[in-house]
Amino acid sequence: MAQQLFLIDPAAVGRLHLHQTLAAAGFDITGTAADPGFAWPKLQARWPDAIVLDIDWPRLEVRSFLKRLTEERPTPVVLCATSLTRVDPTVQQALAAGATLFVNRDSPDALVAAVRQAARTPPPQPSPSCTGPTTAGVRRPALGSSTGRPSTRVVAIGISTGGVQSIEAVLRQLGPDTPGIVLVQHMPEKFTASFAARLNSQYALEVLEARDGDAVLDGRVLIAPGGKQMSLRRHGGHFAVEVREGPPVNHHRPSVDVLFSSVARCAGRHALGIIMTGMGGDGARGLREMHEAGAWTAAQDEATSIVFGMPAEAIRLGAVDDVLALNRIAEWIQTISRVPGRDRTKAAAR
C-alpha cells in the first residue's frame, strides 16, 4: 500500500509541484491545504502517514499547529523550503516544536527520500498528562526527576538530523533508575535550553541543558548547549561534564566526537555509546574509541533512521556492537547498563 501524505504550502504552484513530485514517486496524496489552520479538518477526514509542510512563508502559524499535532495525533512532519537552511531560526523552532526533519525542496531526490523515511517511521505517542486523572492505585513517576545518585555507568548519545522526535522516542521509555545520560543533539545556540525544558516537563527523567561542572546522576540527561563543546570528566570519584568554548569539530559545535572521545578516556568499559540518526560522520570515530576502550556500543538501524549517515559511518568503521531499531534502543540501554563492559571474546567471535 502506498504511503499517504498530506501537503501544506501557501502557494498554489508550490502545492502543485509537491503533488506532482511526490505522486510521481509513488505516494498517495490524501489532500492539500494553503495553511496549517485550514489543514486540520481535512486531516480529520483521512489521516496520512506523514505531512509535508513548506515553511518558506513567515506568517504561517507552524509552531501552534505542531504543538496541537503532538498533543492530539502525533504524525511525522517533513519541513521543506527553498530560501531557508536547517540552521535558520524558523526551522530550528519548528524542529524543537515537534517536526521530524527539514529538507531543501530544490532537490527532488532528497525530498522524496526524506519523506519516504519519515512516513515509515513510527510516530511518537503523546505523554500522559501530569494533571489529568490517574488510574486508581497506580503511581505515576514524578516528571523531571532523578535519583540524585552519582552514576557508576554513563550513557553517551549522539544524534543529528531527525533527532528531535527520535530522542523523545527513547527517553519516554526510560525511568529515574537509568544511568546518567550525556547527549549531543546538533542544534544551534539558544535552542537547546528550550528543547531540554520541554523534555524535562514530559518524561520521568531530569533533562537539563548542561552547565560546566554538572554531575552525571542516575535519571539525569545532560544536553550539550548549542554553540559549545561538552566533554566528560571525572570529578572526585564521580562523573561530571565540562562545558567550554571551542572550535567546531566536524563542522559541529557541539560535536559528538568530542563527547564520545572524552567518554572513552574517562569512563571506558563503564560506558554505553549510541549513535543515532544524522547526516555526515560526526561521532563515528569517537564511538570507535569508546568501543576500543571496552564500552558497549550501538547504532540506530537504517530502517528507522531519518538519515543513515552517522550510524552507517560508525558501522563501517567497526565501532558498533549492536544495530538497533529505534523502538529497541531504550530496552538495550536498560539491559546493557546492568552488565559489565563489552566481552571482547564474544565480540571477536561475531
Side-chain angles (χ1 to χ4, degrees), residues 154-231:
V154 178
V155 180
I157 300 175
I159 192 167
S160 186
T161 311
V164 173
Q165 291 198 359
S166 295
I167 197 61
E168 290 186 38
V170 174
L171 297 185
R172 73 166 49 90
Q173 299 179 61
L174 299 174
D177 59 342
T178 304
I181 296 173
V182 289
L183 184 150
V184 166
Q185 158 76 64
H186 290 157
M187 190 174 280
E189 189 175 0
K190 298 181 181 179
F191 289 96
T192 43
S194 59
F195 178 53
R198 181 168 64 84
L199 296 180
N200 187 64
S201 70
Q202 293 179 332
Y203 304 123
L205 297 163
E206 180 185 36
V207 185
L208 304 171
E209 182 187 53
R211 295 182 180 179
D212 188 47
D214 278 346
V216 179
L217 306 177
D218 288 351
R220 170 180 282 183
V221 182
L222 297 174
I223 299 178
K228 295 185 179 180
Q229 299 290 10
M230 184 174 78
S231 55

Side-chain angles (χ1 to χ4, degrees), residues 4-80:
Q4 299 180 342
L5 305 178
F6 190 93
L7 313 178
I8 303 174
D9 188 329
V13 66
R15 294 195 298 277
L16 178 61
H17 181 262
L18 281 176
H19 193 294
Q20 291 175 336
T21 300
L22 295 170
F27 294 101
D28 177 10
I29 310 303
T30 64
T32 66
D35 184 274
F38 301 148
W40 202 258
K42 295 183 178 182
L43 287 167
Q44 298 287 346
R46 186 182 176 193
W47 211 274
D49 297 308
I51 297 168
V52 181
L53 170 58
D54 189 297
I55 57 168
D56 265 321
W57 309 86
R59 296 182 180 178
L60 290 182
E61 288 294 329
V62 173
R63 282 185 291 175
S64 58
F65 172 73
L66 291 170
K67 182 176 184 296
R68 182 179 181 185
L69 196 68
T70 300
E71 292 174 349
E72 297 187 23
R73 186 74 179 265
T75 305
V77 177
V78 178
L79 308 173
C80 64

Side-chain angles (χ1 to χ4, degrees), residues 290-301:
M290 290 183 62
H291 187 268
E292 292 172 347
W296 281 95
T297 57
Q300 187 176 350
D301 68 3

Side-chain angles (χ1 to χ4, degrees), residues 152-154 263-264 267-273 289-298 321-322 332-333 335-348 350:
T152 58
R153 304 293 295 271
V154 178
V263 173
R269 67 192 301 271
H270 301 291
L272 287 66
E289 291 179 37
M290 290 183 62
H291 187 268
E292 292 172 347
W296 281 95
T297 57
D321 288 310
D322 298 297
W332 184 88
I333 292 171
T335 300
I336 299 300
S337 64
R338 293 192 292 267
V339 302
R342 188 166 42 85
D343 186 323
R344 295 181 184 277
T345 302
K346 291 181 180 178
R350 292 184 179 183

